[in-house]
Amino acid sequence: MNKNKNSGSKLANPVIEVRNLVAKYGERTILDDISLDIYQGEVTVILGSSGGGKTTFLKNIIRLNQPYSGSVKIFNEEVTQMDEETFARILRRVGMLFQNGALLNSIDIYENLCIPLEQHTHLPKDVVERMVRKKLDLVNLSHALYLLPSELSGGMKKRAALARAIALDPEILFFDEPSAGLDPITSAQLDELILDLKNLLKISIVVVTHELASIHRIADRIIFLHKGKLVFHGSLDDAKLCPHETVQEFFRVGRFE
Amino acid sequence: MAEYQIQDKVLLIEGQLNKVSVAKLYSQILKDKHFKEIDYISLKKLEEIDSAGVAMLDELILKLPHPVPVRDMSEIVKDTISVFESRSLPENPKPKKAGIFEATGSAVINFSKELFEMLVLTSDIVYWSIVGIWNKRGQRKGSLIQQGVLIGVDALPIVALLSFIIGFIISLQSATQLKQFGANIFLANLIAISMVRELGPLVTAIIVAGRSGSAIASEIATMKVTEEIDALKMMALNPIRYVVVPKFHAVTFCMPLLVLFSILIGIFGGMLIGIYYLDLSLVAFLNACLEVTALKDIVISMAKSIVFAWQIVIVGSHYGFQVTGGAEGVGKATTIAVVISIFSVIVMDALFSLFYMI
């Protein structure tokens, strides 16, 4: 799981390399020539105004949308033209938490978590059950094991979905607006969990979020997208000094929320 | 890959203990005859471990007659184990399934509850639709026409096609039989009576239940899960009056017309067989049709069609309002609404036939 022993140092390996990525919906250009690296063992936060292309950026990296042009490398392998089977092997090392959890509604939480474990490994049943229960315990949901997703609140769904995303011990974890619709306490707990995952499991984490409080807690590196263009890439302290108008506006307005 | 050995009552695991290697190693260790005797587990030579590995260690320790310690691990392995250690997890047993008596009991209770709720809904709908005839407040302007088009006009092609095919097929099947006795002219009686009394209303009701019953249920269910119904209530609008009543009025108008249309097309299908296969004359066929159809038949047929229509709307909106859960619930509500409305239409048809006999 932890291949890079220097993950704490400045010379971390990039796990994702994006070069000249362009994404379009029809004629509309959503992402315009984005190039950046995402490093191992770091929390990278993607910021930007609504409609700025943040979710599209995530979806293009993991090929839920096909990029219009450009290159995306995950674990040093070019994925944009990769065949489905090879890409599936990469996806097993990647987890994603969707905005609304995206749990399968017809089966209970336990079975939702079993899906990746049963489909992608040959683990014995008792080990699987133990892993599922532990992962749910990590997100404080032990009591919800046999409940259906429709019986959970929004925050619980999100945590259950997180447990599913980490079921296979991924090396990269994507979060699409983890704190949207959560109260500040739950959202802070989720941030704690993100930091735990980073520190203990050395997972590389990419987060799309608007919450300034959350950014202060978790971010190692910040990517700022505005109208489809990359306007800033660097640390949080540097971001505050960034001369770009929208970045300035974001930190100025956000602080008083 | 990972390997193990048991020496001097020590279980030594080496290599990479991850979700690939655990699958094999776990059963191997469990089958080892010295496994139950070990004193501790040594991870001296373990390079890597993940959550599956930790889960395996915990399972192994819990399978032993007495708990044993895990020793000699590197810092990184120790960290990972401390994150995923799961022996102290609270047990939460799977909820038990209800026994046969409990299941029967709750089914009966649920059924009567549902019946009661449906009666309440029926009274609400009937009350508001009578009020709504004179007082159009609380309804969207033009919704009656819009619903009429959706439920009635749009259903015309499919009703026509199915009625024609059914009239045609029944006539074809009976014509061969009738021909043997030279009773050709009775084809007209047969097709007129069966279309007017039974098939017209029934076929139309089944089509409308499939088309509009499902649409009503899914529309209301979606409105319910997306909180639109609550929004209407908060604007001091009665959701039944706003959403259901226009459909109720529309279906009450459209259904008899659709049934009439279906009867005519069905008879037309039979007429083609009569003229071209049994060599009947057009005048003789129509004469026989008119002679055999009493006014009472048509009145009952129309009454039937209105009752069926009400059933479809009431059942559809009932299951729409009952929905729980998200998108999943909408699908379930729609399915059950169609099944129950077709079922209840057929039962009601049987009851009508019984009354008719008396």
Side-chain angles (χ1 to χ4, degrees):
Chain A
M1 181 171 53
N2 174 34
K3 302 238 160 39
N4 178 20
K5 306 284 189 237
N6 319 318
S7 53
S9 80
K10 293 277 178 208
L11 294 165
N13 294 336
V15 281
I16 301 177
E17 295 161 68
V18 181
R19 293 288 173 270
N20 308 101
L21 180 72
V22 178
K24 290 188 177 186
Y25 284 136
E27 286 294 296
R28 232 149 38 90
T29 306
I30 308 294
L31 294 175
D32 190 5
D33 198 25
I34 307 277
S35 299
L36 52 89
D37 291 341
I38 286 165
Y39 294 95
Q40 180 167 28
E42 285 192 348
V43 177
T44 307
V45 173
I46 304 179
L47 295 179
S49 36
S50 305
K54 302 183 298 293
T55 304
T56 312
F57 180 66
L58 275 196
K59 288 194 169 174
N60 273 283
I61 293 180
I62 46 179
R63 286 215 330 202
L64 286 178
N65 292 353
Q66 186 68 34
Y68 180 78
S69 68
S71 112
V72 176
K73 279 186 183 173
I74 303 181
F75 306 124
N76 277 323
E77 288 185 76
E78 176 64 48
V79 295
T80 43
Q81 305 301 330
M82 195 177 261
D83 63 294
E84 288 295 320
E85 225 166 281
T86 332
F87 188 62
R89 232 180 299 133
I90 289 199
L91 278 185
R92 280 175 220 172
R93 297 162 66 190
V94 174
M96 168 120 184
L97 176 66
F98 289 91
Q99 238 173 67
N100 296 313
L103 295 164
L104 301 191
N105 272 311
S106 51
I107 51 182
D108 62 23
I109 302 298
Y110 175 75
E111 282 177 84
N112 259 293
L113 265 77
C114 278
I115 294 173
L117 290 167
E118 281 174 353
Q119 296 296 322
H120 294 316
T121 67
H122 302 282
L123 291 171
K125 212 170 161 255
D126 7 352
V127 174
V128 168
E129 192 189 332
R130 184 159 288 281
M131 286 171 76
V132 168
R133 283 176 44 209
K134 183 62 204 179
K135 296 277 155 76
L136 276 178
D137 181 60
L138 281 179
V139 297
N140 283 328
L141 270 184
S142 291
H143 55 285
L145 196 53
Y146 297 110
L147 294 182
L148 287 170
S150 54
E151 294 167 304
L152 302 185
S153 73
M156 288 163 85
K157 267 186 208 167
K158 225 165 228 181
R159 283 185 281 151
L162 176 58
R164 183 179 67 177
I166 59 173
L168 280 175
D169 298 338
E171 293 161 55
I172 307 176
L173 203 47
F174 294 100
F175 288 79
D176 195 359
E177 308 211 5
S179 19
L182 296 187
D183 66 89
I185 300 173
T186 316
S187 146
Q189 283 171 350
L190 202 64
D191 289 341
E192 280 298 308
L193 201 61
I194 292 177
L195 288 178
D196 278 351
L197 291 172
K198 182 189 91 164
N199 295 332
L200 297 169
L201 309 176
K202 310 286 183 283
I203 300 179
S204 321
I205 293 169
V206 181
V207 185
V208 168
T209 185
H210 295 294
E211 306 272 322
L212 212 53
S214 160
I215 297 165
H216 277 282
R217 279 194 292 262
I218 59 174
D220 291 319
R221 196 175 291 271
I222 289 192
I223 292 170
F224 202 104
L225 297 177
H226 181 62
K227 293 188 178 163
K229 288 206 181 342
L230 178 69
V231 296
F232 177 77
H233 184 193
S235 71
L236 180 60
D237 294 332
D238 291 344
K240 288 177 182 164
L241 301 174
C242 173
H244 193 280
E245 218 172 275
T246 321
V247 181
Q248 282 299 317
E249 183 80 0
F250 189 90
F251 285 105
R252 195 171 55 76
V253 177
R255 194 168 293 155
F256 295 106
E257 267 181 354
Chain B
M1 283 318 290
E3 281 171 14
Y4 83 100
Q5 49 190 9
I6 298 178
Q7 267 179 352
D8 304 331
K9 298 192 174 181
V10 176
L11 172 61
L12 183 75
I13 300 177
E14 52 189 284
Q16 297 148 346
L17 198 56
N18 54 28
K19 43 192 176 292
V20 182
S21 56
V22 162
K24 246 189 193 166
L25 202 66
Y26 179 66
S27 55
Q28 281 175 0
I29 294 180
L30 277 187
K31 277 181 203 145
D32 196 302
K33 56 181 183 283
H34 299 298
F35 167 63
K36 296 263 171 190
E37 300 156 9
I38 61 169
D39 281 334
Y40 69 91
I41 299 174
S42 169
L43 302 181
K44 190 158 50 181
K45 293 182 182 167
L46 196 71
E47 297 158 11
E48 189 185 307
I49 191 165
D50 69 359
S51 64
V54 181
M56 184 193 97
L57 289 180
D58 287 334
E59 274 296 317
L60 287 179
I61 292 170
L62 288 174
K63 288 229 160 51
L64 286 169
H66 50 92
V68 300
V70 183
R71 290 183 189 162
D72 314 325
M73 47 210 157
S74 64
E75 275 305 306
I76 185 139
V77 171
K78 200 173 185 174
D79 281 350
T80 315
I81 290 181
S82 73
V83 180
F84 290 123
E85 192 279 322
S86 63
R87 266 171 291 154
S88 51
L89 279 184
E91 281 293 324
N92 31 11
K94 208 167 183 166
K96 269 187 199 155
K97 274 190 182 161
I100 182 163
F101 292 110
E102 197 184 336
T104 326
S106 51
V108 171
I109 291 174
N110 282 341
F111 178 74
S112 35
K113 232 188 237 167
E114 207 158 87
L115 213 59
F116 177 72
E117 277 164 7
M118 214 183 281
L119 277 176
V120 173
L121 180 75
T122 311
S123 70
D124 258 359
I125 293 177
V126 170
Y127 173 76
W128 285 114
S129 50
I130 292 173
V131 171
I133 296 175
W134 297 281
N135 185 351
K136 292 282 180 202
R137 287 181 76 89
Q139 290 179 31
R140 198 151 35 100
K141 280 202 179 87
S143 57
L144 177 65
I145 307 268
Q146 181 212 8
Q147 290 298 327
V149 170
L150 276 181
I151 296 173
V153 180
D154 289 354
L156 281 176
I158 184 72
V159 167
L161 185 66
L162 272 186
S163 308
F164 176 78
I165 292 175
I166 284 174
F168 191 84
I169 296 293
I170 287 182
S171 309
L172 192 63
Q173 299 280 13
S174 3
T176 43
Q177 305 298 320
L178 292 172
K179 215 174 185 182
Q180 292 174 19
F181 307 105
N184 292 7
I185 188 62
F186 287 105
L187 180 72
N189 302 26
L190 186 142
I191 197 69
I193 286 186
S194 53
M195 279 319 291
V196 172
R197 284 195 195 167
E198 278 302 322
L199 290 175
L202 200 59
V203 167
T204 316
I206 289 174
I207 293 172
V208 171
R211 272 186 90 255
S212 309
S214 62
I216 291 169
S218 64
E219 183 188 333
I220 293 177
T222 313
M223 289 180 80
K224 176 115 189 186
V225 290
T226 53
E227 296 178 323
E228 285 172 49
I229 297 285
D230 295 342
L232 285 177
K233 281 184 191 161
M234 281 310 295
M235 290 186 272
L237 291 170
N238 184 325
I240 291 179
R241 199 169 173 187
Y242 192 83
V243 182
V244 184
V245 166
K247 297 181 198 301
F248 197 77
H249 284 160
V251 90
T252 313
F253 271 115
C254 294
M255 193 71 171
L257 296 176
L258 279 178
V259 169
L260 215 55
F261 183 66
S262 156
I263 291 170
L264 291 177
I265 298 275
I267 291 178
F268 172 72
M271 194 172 74
L272 290 185
I273 296 290
I275 292 173
Y276 292 106
Y277 184 68
L278 295 180
D279 298 325
L280 296 171
S281 78
L282 178 63
V283 178
F285 188 94
L286 290 180
N287 255 338
C289 278
L290 289 177
E291 251 169 48
V292 78
T293 320
L295 181 64
K296 184 180 156 200
D297 290 327
I298 294 181
V299 170
I300 285 190
S301 176
M302 291 301 107
K304 252 188 190 181
S305 69
I306 290 177
V307 172
F308 291 169
W310 289 349
Q311 276 178 292
I312 292 167
V313 174
I314 288 167
V315 171
S317 42
H318 170 75
Y319 286 104
F321 282 118
Q322 291 287 308
V323 73
T324 52
E328 165 88 357
V330 177
K332 271 187 193 160
T334 312
T335 315
I336 194 157
V338 173
V339 171
I340 298 288
S341 54
I342 289 180
F343 169 78
S344 67
V345 158
I346 292 176
V347 168
M348 189 53 80
D349 189 52
L351 290 179
F352 262 106
S353 306
L354 284 179
F355 281 123
Y356 198 79
M357 302 282 284
I358 296 166

